[in-house]
Amino acid sequence: MITQKEYKKRRDILAKKLSKNSIGIIFSSTYKTRSNDTDYPYRQDSNFYYLTGFKEDNSALVFVKTKNETKTVLFVQKKDAQLELWTGKRMGKKKAKKRFLVDEVFVSDDLQKRLEKYVVGKKTLYCDLSSKDKRVKRFLKQSSAIKTQKNIIHFIQEMRLIKSPSEINLIKKAISITKDAHHSVMKSKKIGKKEYELLAQIEYEFKSKGAYSDAYTSIVAGGNNANTLHYIKNNKPLIDKELILIDAGSEYKHYASDITRTIPVNGKFTSSQKKLYKLVLDTQLEIISMIKPHVKRSDLQKKAEELLTKGMIKLGILKGNYKKLIKKQKHKKYYPHGIGHWMGLDVHDPAPYINYDDKEIPLDKGMVLTIEPGLYIDKNDKSVPKKYRGIGIRIEDNILVTKDGYENLSKDIVKTIKEIESISFKS
Ligand code: GLY
Ligand code: MN
Ligand code: MN
């Protein structure tokens, strides 16, 4: 659980970063239309949530900073018995004032009127300058007299890079629910099923264990479908002797997990699958073991490319001189993506990778990132020995950087060949 004190601390840190005589605003998410008059399930904006822990739409957080003090003001939807009958209870101004440790709370209907007052005499304006939200556009118009505009999102995203102990606990909980989902699929019979049946099983595990949602659209890709990196159709039959790549992670209390496992449909790897799997797994283990403060993500990427290239030469997938293959980046055909990304309130946490001075940000205690090497050999790739064609493998874990190393937060989700074969349903 994240306490109101922690949210206040985050606002205080952000407020200190804003210049004197400034105004900053950050809005909640809006509902997104799915079709006609139905909406997608509401998901609070991650930056707004990071600063407030407030889940309702039509709200805003405003920082009003003068020479000597900063006021934090929360705007919430007003109580409305008729609307609440349809869409559920709203917290309202009174309760919000008690719950959130902000200086003032007003109803959202008063936002425009109040902003008109707040902007007077201000020299700097902070908001999400890249947003297409009507409310942001209106605010920018209304405060056009303020000459300096800065993107408030950059400050928040930088703060989100380092996770607090309570954030790490929520990520751990999301991973633990995800573990149950992956293990449940491993343990069940898969021959004769369609990809979406496994997806349904995963979603059942997520929802029945209290995960609000998945953290991203899950991938359940049998056989060659795994070679489409963002395969989300999930509608084909599972075939005996093929592999299934499952990239699925639950979101718990707004925090993501992002886990990929690649498992045999019938519970046993073939010998060529084993060879490719071992290469990806050995690479992943080696990269994870490098993780500690001061190491750079680009070092991990480079090492993964080197290891996979060497391994692919041994297996006869790449042919030629190692140095030349690396120089020509020949691995990209089979390993085209990055080694991993920050993870937190968003599956791809939008925290920066590069600092203001254009230097790469090294790993540091409290950062959480994924490590996800993969190899993807298309079924029609005639340049590769036949036995490897149509196999796509990715193994993805979620890693916390600690004071002098790392903690693999998803280490309990089985991934060695032996572990997977022993837990799997055999048919
Ligand atoms: N599931 C998205 C990713 O692995 O980055
Ligand atoms: Mn990922
Ligand atoms: Mn993933």
Side-chain angles (χ1 to χ4, degrees):
M1 201 192 70
I2 295 173
T3 61
Q4 287 307 322
K5 263 196 185 156
E6 182 166 342
Y7 289 116
K8 179 175 183 323
K9 196 170 133 199
R10 294 173 187 174
R11 291 191 295 269
D12 290 346
I13 292 172
L14 177 59
K16 280 212 182 91
K17 294 175 193 271
L18 308 182
S19 339
K20 287 176 182 173
N21 296 313
S22 69
I23 176 163
I25 188 161
I26 169 138
F27 290 99
S28 64
S29 283
T30 50
Y31 275 92
K32 313 264 183 309
T33 305
R34 182 177 178 278
S35 76
N36 188 22
D37 56 354
T38 58
D39 294 322
Y40 286 106
Y42 184 76
R43 166 62 159 73
Q44 187 55 282
D45 175 82
S46 295
N47 292 313
F48 181 82
Y49 191 78
Y50 181 78
L51 293 173
T52 61
F54 190 40
K55 293 184 201 143
E56 287 184 24
D57 70 312
N58 194 13
S59 27
L61 176 69
V62 179
F63 293 85
V64 188
K65 192 159 174 175
T66 58
K67 195 164 164 240
N68 303 312
E69 59 157 19
T70 311
K71 235 195 231 176
T72 50
V73 191
L74 185 64
F75 289 83
V76 303
Q77 310 182 92
K78 70 164 181 261
K79 297 288 287 174
D80 182 325
Q82 191 53 30
L83 282 175
E84 286 177 57
L85 172 68
W86 290 90
T87 54
K89 290 281 173 225
R90 296 172 170 183
M91 187 178 289
K93 186 175 135 176
K94 248 201 210 148
K95 266 200 189 154
K97 181 77 183 88
K98 266 194 205 146
R99 158 101 53 114
F100 300 106
L101 306 173
V102 289
D103 298 307
E104 286 182 304
V105 178
F106 297 106
V107 294
S108 300
D109 291 354
D110 293 344
L111 179 66
Q112 286 316 312
K113 216 173 56 206
R114 295 245 161 222
L115 284 178
E116 279 165 27
K117 284 192 194 146
Y118 294 153
V119 296
V120 175
K122 298 296 185 296
K123 301 237 172 332
T124 312
L125 164 166
Y126 295 89
C127 70
D128 181 358
L129 292 174
S130 55
S131 171
K132 293 190 177 69
D133 192 321
K134 287 200 297 273
R135 297 166 301 175
V136 174
K137 300 255 179 266
R138 194 188 313 149
F139 173 63
L140 285 170
K141 212 162 148 195
Q142 182 178 24
S143 42
S144 55
I146 305 177
K147 290 290 166 256
T148 311
Q149 299 180 346
K150 289 190 177 166
N151 201 335
I152 198 164
I153 302 302
H154 292 160
F155 296 98
I156 307 167
Q157 289 175 343
E158 197 177 59
M159 290 167 65
R160 285 172 53 188
L161 193 46
I162 306 291
K163 272 70 184 176
S164 70
S166 45
E167 288 185 287
I168 292 163
N169 278 336
L170 293 176
I171 292 172
K172 282 184 175 168
K173 177 71 181 172
I175 292 171
S176 140
I177 294 170
T178 299
K179 175 189 78 180
D180 291 347
H182 279 269
H183 284 178
S184 157
V185 167
M186 289 177 192
K187 287 175 191 166
S188 62
K189 183 174 163 61
K190 291 172 276 295
I191 291 180
K193 283 191 179 160
K194 298 260 177 56
E195 292 162 343
Y196 54 70
E197 292 179 73
L198 305 193
L199 178 64
Q201 202 172 329
I202 289 164
E203 287 180 352
Y204 172 79
E205 288 292 326
F206 287 179
K207 295 220 164 101
S208 65
K209 299 215 158 120
Y212 171 75
S213 161
D214 33 31
Y216 51 92
T217 307
S218 304
I219 296 169
V220 181
N224 192 58
N225 299 332
N227 295 318
T228 302
L229 294 177
H230 287 164
Y231 176 80
I232 51 169
K233 281 189 183 161
N234 304 329
N235 61 357
K236 296 285 184 303
L238 299 168
I239 312 287
D240 190 14
K241 299 198 181 69
E242 289 191 341
L243 296 177
I244 321 164
L245 183 155
I246 299 177
D247 186 347
S250 78
E251 177 179 293
Y252 184 76
K253 301 209 166 168
H254 294 76
Y255 280 83
S257 57
D258 183 7
I259 301 293
T260 308
R261 289 293 182 264
T262 309
I263 59 175
V265 172
N266 66 12
K268 269 195 89 53
F269 289 87
T270 65
S271 76
S272 4
Q273 287 165 354
K274 268 187 191 166
K275 282 185 189 142
L276 273 181
Y277 190 92
K278 193 168 175 317
L279 172 55
V280 178
L281 180 60
D282 289 348
T283 302
Q284 200 226 21
L285 293 173
E286 175 96 25
I287 301 303
I288 292 174
S289 76
M290 289 168 67
I291 291 180
K292 59 180 180 189
H294 308 302
V295 168
K296 289 195 221 115
R297 185 166 148 271
S298 58
D299 299 332
L300 306 178
Q301 179 75 32
K302 189 163 169 273
K303 186 74 180 175
E305 290 171 0
E306 289 170 2
L307 292 169
L308 290 172
T309 300
K310 275 183 193 151
M312 283 193 282
I313 294 173
K314 268 196 191 145
L315 296 179
I317 295 169
L318 288 178
K319 289 166 205 82
N321 172 276
Y322 167 73
K323 279 198 178 144
K324 276 191 189 150
L325 291 171
I326 286 284
K327 201 168 164 219
K328 290 188 176 161
Q329 299 273 289
K330 288 290 183 188
H331 61 270
K332 277 209 183 300
K333 186 172 174 194
Y334 305 111
Y335 169 52
H337 57 72
I339 190 61
H341 49 84
W342 308 134
M343 192 191 81
L345 278 167
D346 290 295
V347 62
H348 298 153
D349 234 20
Y353 290 96
I354 308 276
N355 239 331
Y356 297 113
D357 54 5
D358 251 9
K359 289 215 175 83
E360 189 178 349
I361 298 174
L363 299 183
D364 204 355
K365 182 177 175 257
M367 292 178 178
V368 174
L369 74 163
T370 67
I371 295 296
E372 50 181 304
L375 281 179
Y376 312 90
I377 319 279
D378 191 81
K379 68 174 186 206
N380 296 318
D381 189 340
K382 301 242 161 44
S383 68
V384 171
K386 200 163 174 213
K387 57 185 177 182
Y388 299 126
R389 292 181 208 160
I391 300 177
I393 294 168
R394 178 164 66 256
I395 308 172
E396 177 173 29
D397 280 300
N398 304 153
I399 315 293
L400 167 70
V401 185
T402 59
K403 189 162 90 23
D404 31 41
Y406 69 91
E407 181 185 348
N408 182 349
L409 301 176
S410 46
K411 65 178 179 315
D412 295 336
I413 309 181
V414 302
K415 67 176 173 183
T416 66
I417 290 174
K418 207 169 148 207
E419 284 169 337
I420 290 176
E421 287 191 343
S422 94
I423 195 177
S424 287
F425 185 94
K426 318 277 187 316
S427 55

